[in-house]
Amino acid sequence: MTSITIETVSKSYGAMPVLKGLDIDIRDGEFVSFLGPSGCGKSTLLFCIAGIEAISAGRILFDGQDVSRLAPRDRNIALVFQDYALYPHMAVRDNLAFPLRQQKLGPDVVRRQVDWAAGLLGLEALLDRMPAELSGGQRQRVAVGRAIVRNPAALLMDEPLSNLDASLRVRTRTEIKRLQRELRTTVAFVTHDQEEAMVLSDRVAVMNAGVLQQFAEPMTIYRQPANLFVAGFIGSPQMNFLPGDGAPGGHGAGRLIGVRPFDLVPAGGGPGDGFALTGELALIEPAGPVHYLDVDVGGRMVKATCVDPSGLQPGAALTLTAPRHTLHLFDASSGLRLAS
Amino acid sequence: MSVSDDIGTPRGASIVRSPAALRKRDGRVGRVPLFAYAAVAPTLLIVLAVVGVPLAYSLYLSLHRTNPITKTFIYVGFDNYASLAGNADFAAALGRTAYFAAFSVAGTTVLGLAMALLLNERFFGRGVLRSMVLVPWAMAPVSVGVLWSFIYAGNFGALTGLLNDLGLGGWALPWLGDGFRALNLVALTNVWSQAPLTALMLLAGLQSMPGSLHKAAMLDGAGPVARFFAITLPWLKPNLLFISIIATINSLMAFDILWIMTRGGPGAATTVLSWLGYLTSFQFLRFGQGAAILYCLTALSFVLAIAYFAILGPRRSRPGARPVPPTVDGGVPGARTLAPMAVLPPPRVRPRLPRPVALGLARGGFAIAVLALVLWSALPVLALILMSLTPASDLIRTPATVVPSGLTLQNFQTVLMPSSSGGFSTSVQAQRVPLALINSIVVGACVSLVCIVLGTFAGYAFARHGRSRFFAVSLWGLLLTRMTPGLTLVLPFFIIYRGFGLIDTRTGLIIAYCSFLLPLSAWMMRSYFEGVPVSLDRAALIDGCSRVRMMWSVLLPVVRPGVIAAAIFCFLASWNEFLFALILTSTPNAQTIPVVISGFLSQAQFYEYGPMFAASVLSILPPVLVAFFFQRFLVQGALSGAVKG
C-alpha cells in the first residue's frame, strides 16, 4: 500500500562505508528481496528503511514523501526480526496486541484485530502461551502476526526464515508468499539464500559490499547476470568461469566465459554445434535428480551435470558441451557482462 | 550424565526402564565420579567447621544466660527470645532497622537503575565513568564511614565548610546531631556505597537484553517511557529479585558505617538491630541475649528473602492456558473461516518537536545526568584525597572551609615513616599504619590464594554435578552461610580462638575470612564453569587426561578470567573487612588497616584527622586500582552473582 523509493542512500559507521549510493525503487504491493553475502549491507539497508539506523546521505521516500528524518514509530512500517524479538514476558496475545495498544486503540478493536491476525496465521490455540513455550516455527508466525496486525504501510523482513530447519523453511516461505498476495502489502525481504529470494520475490536486488549489483526479476538475474559477482553468486552449484583465450571458440583474451553446470553435459548425441571442453573426469557426485561431474580441464576444475552417469569412469577422458546460447561473456577487467 | 553414556547398557532394558533405574543397575552410568566429591570436600569441611560450629554454638548461647566472669551457663530455653518480645529497645531498634533497610533498598534500587541505564548508553568516557562509579562500593565501609562522618562533622566538617565558602553558612546544621536526620544521613551514606553494586548487576542484565527487543518496540510505536516500562523493567525482573535480596540483607547487616559514623547515637537514634546485638554482646556482655537478637536478625533476612521470592519470583505461565492442543508446526491452516479485519483508524500523527530541538534537549539532559553521576561518585572521594593532603591543623579550623591553606605530604609521612618525621609528634596510632598495611596485604593474599584453589575445584564439581542431590543440598547450605550476619559468628569465633591461641594472629584472620569467602568463590566459579561446555571435559578425558590433568591443562586456562575475578573479590572483601578484624585482634601484631583507621576515632588525641585521612587514602588505594584496571572482572563477578557481604 506504499511505494518505497531509495534515492542515492549512503550509510557509514565512522569512516567505514556500509551502503554506497543505493538507488532502489519498490513499487506499491511489490515483493522485493535484498540478496547478498553476509556483510553486504542488506540488513543495514532494511534498518535504514525502518528508521532504526539513520542514513548518512540520500533520501528515503514513502509514496513520494520524504521520511528520512522521521522516527521509526512515525513511519508506519513493521519489521520481522531475524531472532523474532518477541517480548519474552508477554503471552502471544499481548505480543500481538502491543502495537495496537501503542496506537491507543480501544480494547474492542484490539481484540478483533488480534483475532483476525491469529486466524490468518493459525495462532488461535497459542494465544495464551508465552514465547518460551513455542517452537521455532510458531515463534516465527507470531512475529509475522505482530508485524501485520496493525496493517502497516510496508512489511520489512530481516532473514525471518534463517532460524528454521530446512523443510519448515520451504513451507513457511510459501505461507509468506500467500500472505503477501492476500494482503497486497509492500514487502522488503532480506535474505542470503538465493533460492528463497528467487521463489518469493517479484524483483531481487543483489548487493555486494554496499553496492547494488543488479535489480531485476528473478529469472532475468539468473539468465542475464549483470556482472561476474551476480553470475557467481546466483545459481548453485556455482557457474564455471573460463578464460576466453584458453577456451575453444576463440572469444579472445580479456574476456571470461561463464557456463552453468546445468548447461554443461557430456557430449554425445547432443547438439554438436555448441561449445565443447575436454578433460579428465575426476569425481561423480550423485545429487538425486542429477549427478554432478567434476572434470579436470587443463588443471582447472569444471563442474558439469548429467542425468545418467552409467558408462562414465573417473579417470577417463570426457568431452563436455553446452549450447552456445547458454554461454555468458564477461569483461575480465571490469567484470561486466558483454552482449554475447 | 547424558544419553550418550547409555550405549553400554543392554538394548532391551533401556526401552522399558527409566534412566534412574538404569543408573542403579549399572554403576558406570550417571555416577558422580569420586573426583567430584574430592573436589568439594575441602570447601565443605572448612565451611562446616568454621561456620557451622560457631553457628551452632551461638544458637546454644542464645538459649542460655551466661556470666562471662564466672563462666557459668544457665539453660533458660527461649527466655532470651521471649524477653525481646516485650523489650521497648528491641521494638524501637526493629522499627529503625525496617526504616533503614527500606530507605537503603529503595535508594540503591532507584539510583542503581538510573546509573545502569546511563552506563548502558554509548558515550565518550563510558569506561572511565564505569570505573569511577564502582569506587564507592569497592572502598572499605570503614573508609566510607570516616569520609562521610567528616563531611557531616558539626563545626569543622567539609559540608559545613563548603556552605561557608559558598556564603551559605546560615544553612549549616549539626548534621548528625539530630536523631532522625542522623538515621537518614547514615542510610544515605549506605546508599552511596551500595548503589554501585546494584548498578553493576543491573548493567549485566541490561547487556544481556537482545537489542532487537527495543527496536521492535520502537517500530511498534512505543516511545522511550513506554519502552522502559513495557520492555526494560520486565526484562530486569529476575535481576531485581536477586538485587533486592542482596540489598536487603546488606542493609540489615550494616554495621561498619554505623560503628564509625554514629555508634548508634545520638541517643539511640541510629541503634538498629545489628548495633543493638553488638552492644548487648560486647558492651553489656549479655552473650545470650545478644545472640538471640542476632538470631532474630538472621531469621528476618530469611523471611524477607522468601517473601521476595513469593512476590517477584519466576512464575509459570497462567494455569488454564494448558493443555494446548498440539498444532502441526508451520502447517498451513486448511479451510479457515477468517475473522474479518478490524477497521483501523489511520496511524496517529504525533506532535513532534523539530528534530534538532528534540535532539538537543535529549543530549543536554543526558550530559547533565552524566555530570551528576560523576559528581555523586567522584566528589566525595576526591574530597578525601584533598583532605589527606591538607595540613592537619586546617581540618579543625572554625569557621570551617574546604579551601586548604596549602598542600602537604606531611600526613602521609606521619603514617608511612613514623620515626623519621622529626619534630612532629607521631601518635601511637599512626605508628601502627605501616604494619597494618602489611598485615592487610598478607591476609588478603593468603585468603585469595586459598579461596581460588579450593573454590575452583568446588565450583567445578557444583557446576557439573549440580543435579545430584548431595551437591544441590550442599550448594544451598553454602549459600545460606551468606545470609548469616557476621555478628552472629564473631562471638563464638572469639571464644573458640581464645582456646586455640589464634587471637591476634594473621592465621586466625585468614581462617575466619576463608569461612565466608570460600562459599563466594565456589559460587562464582560454579557459574563460570557452567559457561564452559561439558564436551571440553569429555574431549580431555578421551584424549587420555586424568581428572586432575583435565582441570590443570584444559579447564583452568579456560576459566582463568573467572579465577582472576574470584581472586579480586576475595582480596577486596578481606582487605575491607572490619568486624572480625576488630574483635579478633587487640594488639597491632595482626591488626588490619580498617581496624587501625577506626582506632584513630577511639583515641583521645582528636586532631589526628590528617594522618587518619592519609591512612584512609592508602586503604582505598587497592580498591580504586582494582576498579580502574580490573573493571571488566568486576562486571564478570557481578554477572556470576558475587557480592560483598
Side-chain angles (χ1 to χ4, degrees):
Chain A
M1 311 145 194
T2 304
S3 66
I4 301 174
T5 310
I6 295 158
E7 271 184 16
T8 58
V9 163
S10 295
K11 163 86 187 165
S12 46
Y13 292 114
M16 166 101 151
V18 186
L19 301 177
K20 300 170 190 160
L22 293 181
D23 278 300
I24 296 173
D25 192 6
I26 304 173
R27 296 183 206 113
D28 185 0
E30 193 176 25
F31 197 123
V32 166
S33 291
F34 301 152
L35 175 65
S38 39
C40 75
K42 54 195 192 299
S43 290
T44 308
L45 175 60
L46 200 72
F47 288 154
C48 286
I49 297 175
I52 296 171
E53 302 271 1
I55 53 177
S56 314
R59 294 199 303 168
I60 293 172
L61 311 167
F62 287 1
D63 278 339
Q65 276 191 319
D66 189 353
V67 297
S68 317
R69 315 206 67 180
L70 288 187
R73 57 168 159 162
D74 297 320
R75 297 191 185 193
N76 190 28
I77 35 101
L79 204 159
V80 177
F81 287 84
Q82 185 171 12
D83 60 359
Y84 312 138
L86 299 183
Y87 307 126
H89 52 281
M90 297 183 195
V92 170
R93 184 189 304 281
D94 300 311
N95 261 289
L96 292 179
F98 187 78
L100 301 172
R101 292 196 180 128
Q102 295 308 316
Q103 306 257 357
K104 308 262 188 302
L105 297 178
D108 221 41
V109 184
V110 171
R111 207 184 50 244
R112 284 226 316 277
Q113 188 66 0
V114 167
D115 286 345
W116 168 78
L120 196 64
L121 290 155
L123 296 170
E124 295 97 330
L126 307 176
L127 282 176
D128 290 311
R129 287 214 203 172
M130 300 305 273
E133 303 168 328
L134 302 178
S135 69
Q138 290 166 339
R139 280 180 214 187
Q140 202 272 342
R141 281 182 359 241
V142 175
V144 172
R146 192 178 67 189
I148 61 168
V149 73
R150 70 192 157 90
N151 199 15
L155 180 57
L156 312 179
M157 299 179 133
D158 183 19
E159 308 214 18
L161 304 179
S162 61
N163 287 339
L164 304 179
D165 62 54
S167 68
L168 187 55
R169 192 150 58 207
V170 172
R171 271 185 289 160
T172 310
R173 81 182 178 208
T174 315
E175 265 301 276
I176 288 179
K177 181 88 172 171
R178 177 188 66 82
L179 199 67
Q180 192 258 345
R181 288 279 174 276
E182 234 165 82
L183 299 174
R184 283 192 278 283
T185 314
T186 311
V187 173
F189 188 98
V190 164
T191 179
H192 63 264
D193 181 334
Q194 44 167 306
E195 188 182 319
E196 216 166 89
M198 307 248 317
V199 167
L200 282 170
S201 321
D202 297 317
R203 284 192 293 168
V204 178
V206 183
M207 294 172 62
N208 185 35
V211 178
L212 183 65
Q213 305 291 324
Q214 190 172 8
F215 184 34
E217 274 102 52
M219 284 318 284
T220 309
I221 285 181
Y222 186 77
R223 293 209 181 104
Q224 293 155 22
N227 55 34
L228 276 176
F229 174 81
V230 179
F233 189 72
I234 302 286
S236 172
Q238 204 189 19
M239 185 185 279
N240 299 302
F241 294 109
L242 302 157
D245 51 349
H251 290 282
R255 292 177 170 197
L256 284 177
I257 302 167
V259 55
R260 293 200 184 278
F262 285 102
D263 297 325
L264 198 58
V265 294
D273 65 321
F275 168 81
L277 287 171
T278 303
E280 182 188 314
L281 178 59
L283 208 58
I284 305 176
E285 301 165 328
V290 294
H291 289 70
Y292 295 126
L293 307 175
D294 278 341
V295 181
D296 183 348
V297 179
R300 183 186 300 274
M301 288 313 263
V302 171
K303 218 170 204 45
T305 50
C306 76
V307 179
D308 176 19
S310 59
L312 294 180
Q313 273 297 325
L318 181 66
T319 301
L320 304 166
T321 63
R324 202 158 281 280
H325 71 269
T326 61
L327 299 186
H328 306 267
L329 266 185
F330 300 97
D331 186 288
S333 51
S334 72
L336 289 178
R337 178 184 187 82
L338 301 169
S340 44
Chain B
M1 296 244 181
S2 82
V3 189
S4 60
D5 294 337
D6 292 359
I7 292 166
T9 59
R11 269 290 119 150
S14 67
I15 293 169
V16 263
R17 282 171 202 269
S18 68
L22 266 181
R23 209 171 294 137
K24 271 182 204 148
R25 276 169 60 93
D26 187 340
R28 287 172 301 166
V29 176
R31 190 187 62 175
V32 176
L34 208 57
F35 174 77
Y37 291 105
V40 289
T43 300
L44 287 182
L45 286 178
I46 289 179
V47 173
L48 191 70
V50 189
V51 180
V53 172
L55 207 57
Y57 186 73
S58 67
L59 183 67
Y60 170 82
L61 274 182
S62 79
L63 302 176
H64 288 74
R65 183 171 302 131
T66 58
N67 185 329
I69 296 163
T70 60
K71 297 203 172 139
T72 45
F73 283 65
I74 305 158
Y75 180 76
V76 293
F78 287 96
D79 274 13
N80 282 327
Y81 293 94
S83 72
L84 292 179
N87 186 330
D89 285 348
F90 179 78
L94 185 63
R96 283 189 286 267
T97 305
Y99 181 81
F100 183 83
F103 189 115
S104 301
V105 173
T108 51
T109 307
V110 171
L111 205 66
L113 187 57
M115 286 178 180
L117 289 173
L118 272 184
L119 294 177
N120 196 38
E121 296 294 319
R122 271 166 215 279
F123 58 90
F124 177 75
R126 176 173 73 167
V128 176
L129 186 56
R130 278 188 183 173
S131 300
M132 219 184 268
V133 161
L134 290 178
V135 169
W137 163 72
M139 62 197 271
V142 167
S143 315
V144 172
V146 163
L147 165 62
W148 284 94
S149 51
F150 185 76
I151 289 179
Y152 293 137
N155 291 327
F156 45 82
L159 184 55
T160 304
L162 184 66
L163 288 175
N164 283 341
D165 292 342
L166 295 174
L168 300 170
W171 293 11
L173 292 167
W175 301 107
L176 293 175
D178 175 74
F180 186 58
R181 189 165 59 223
L183 183 61
N184 280 315
L185 287 178
V186 174
L188 187 67
T189 307
N190 193 41
V191 168
W192 184 77
S193 78
Q194 293 294 310
L197 175 66
T198 307
L200 203 58
M201 291 197 277
L202 286 176
L203 192 59
L206 285 176
Q207 287 182 336
S208 71
M209 179 161 64
S212 59
L213 281 189
H214 266 273
K215 291 178 184 168
M218 219 185 269
L219 287 164
D220 284 344
V225 178
R227 285 205 306 276
F228 173 75
F229 285 105
I231 311 292
T232 309
L233 219 48
W235 178 268
L236 290 177
K237 206 171 118 177
N239 302 66
L240 282 170
L241 165 70
F242 189 62
I243 288 163
S244 317
I245 294 176
I246 297 298
T248 308
I249 293 176
N250 281 353
S251 60
L252 288 179
M253 310 300 171
F255 172 77
D256 303 7
I257 62 167
L258 284 164
W259 198 98
I260 301 287
M261 286 182 75
T262 61
R263 295 181 156 250
T270 56
T271 299
V272 292
L273 280 186
S274 59
W275 184 258
L276 187 66
Y278 171 80
L279 275 189
T280 315
S281 298
F282 294 100
Q283 306 278 316
F284 310 147
L285 300 180
R286 290 204 297 266
F287 293 149
Q289 204 184 358
I293 292 172
L294 294 170
Y295 257 92
C296 286
L297 194 59
T298 311
L300 193 63
S301 57
F302 274 117
V303 170
L304 285 175
I306 292 165
Y308 281 129
F309 254 107
I311 299 165
L312 286 168
R315 235 164 266 177
R316 303 249 148 242
S317 75
R318 289 140 241 216
R322 179 154 326 284
V324 179
T327 49
V328 180
D329 215 355
V332 183
R336 290 166 300 135
T337 46
L338 268 188
M341 192 170 168
V343 181
L344 298 179
R348 277 182 315 141
V349 179
R350 266 182 328 129
R352 278 191 304 269
L353 283 171
R355 201 172 161 94
V357 176
L359 218 61
L361 280 179
R363 288 216 179 116
F366 189 79
I368 289 171
V370 168
L371 188 68
L373 185 54
V374 170
L375 291 180
W376 166 267
S377 304
L379 203 57
V381 181
L382 292 176
L384 180 67
I385 295 170
L386 179 70
M387 291 183 304
S388 73
L389 296 171
T390 305
S393 54
D394 274 17
L395 295 168
I396 45 173
R397 275 179 299 179
T398 44
T401 165
V402 289
V403 185
S405 59
L407 293 181
T408 171
L409 287 175
Q410 174 90 58
N411 296 324
F412 286 96
Q413 219 170 8
T414 310
V415 294
L416 286 178
M417 294 170 283
S419 50
S420 68
S421 60
F424 192 82
S425 72
T426 303
S427 75
V428 179
Q429 202 61 29
Q431 286 170 12
R432 291 177 174 171
V433 172
L435 182 59
L437 286 170
I438 293 170
N439 286 338
S440 281
I441 290 171
V442 170
V443 170
C446 292
V447 168
S448 315
L449 189 68
V450 172
C451 284
I452 59 171
V453 171
L454 298 183
T456 303
F457 278 94
Y460 169 78
F462 284 128
R464 292 294 187 249
H465 307 288
R467 267 180 295 172
S468 138
R469 183 172 307 155
F470 170 76
F471 290 95
V473 170
S474 49
L475 183 64
W476 277 106
L478 283 187
L479 262 193
L480 288 187
T481 64
R482 302 209 32 74
M483 288 201 181
T484 36
L487 276 168
T488 324
L489 299 175
V490 72
L491 176 63
F493 261 103
F494 181 75
I495 294 166
I496 295 168
Y497 270 28
R498 218 170 33 185
F500 284 99
L502 284 170
I503 295 284
D504 267 331
T505 60
R506 293 188 282 229
T507 318
L509 281 184
I510 292 168
I511 294 173
Y513 292 171
C514 283
S515 75
F516 58 81
L517 290 175
L518 259 179
L520 176 82
S521 61
W523 180 261
M524 283 180 73
M525 290 318 294
R526 183 195 76 109
S527 37
Y528 208 88
F529 272 114
E530 281 182 339
V532 178
V534 191
S535 52
L536 213 55
D537 303 26
R538 295 184 178 151
L541 290 176
I542 288 169
D543 287 346
C545 292
S546 68
R547 297 261 175 191
V548 177
R549 183 93 212 156
M550 166 193 81
M551 278 299 275
W552 184 254
S553 306
V554 178
L555 293 180
L556 222 52
V558 174
V559 298
R560 203 172 52 185
V563 173
I564 295 175
I568 288 175
F569 265 76
C570 291
F571 183 83
L572 271 190
S574 116
W575 178 274
N576 289 340
E577 206 283 332
F578 174 59
L579 175 68
F580 279 72
L582 178 72
I583 306 283
L584 300 181
T585 61
S586 52
T587 64
N589 296 337
Q591 275 181 348
T592 55
I593 187 75
V595 181
V596 168
I597 292 174
S598 77
F600 277 107
L601 293 172
S602 316
Q603 67 174 355
Q605 206 178 351
F606 111 122
Y607 76 116
E608 279 253 299
Y609 271 122
M612 181 176 80
F613 290 134
S616 297
V617 168
L618 292 174
S619 85
I620 69 168
L621 211 55
V624 169
L625 290 179
V626 163
F628 275 87
F629 293 106
F630 296 97
Q631 182 231 107
R632 109 192 135 86
F633 291 107
L634 290 178
V635 176
Q636 169 65 46
L639 269 170
S640 51
V643 274
K644 189 171 72 172

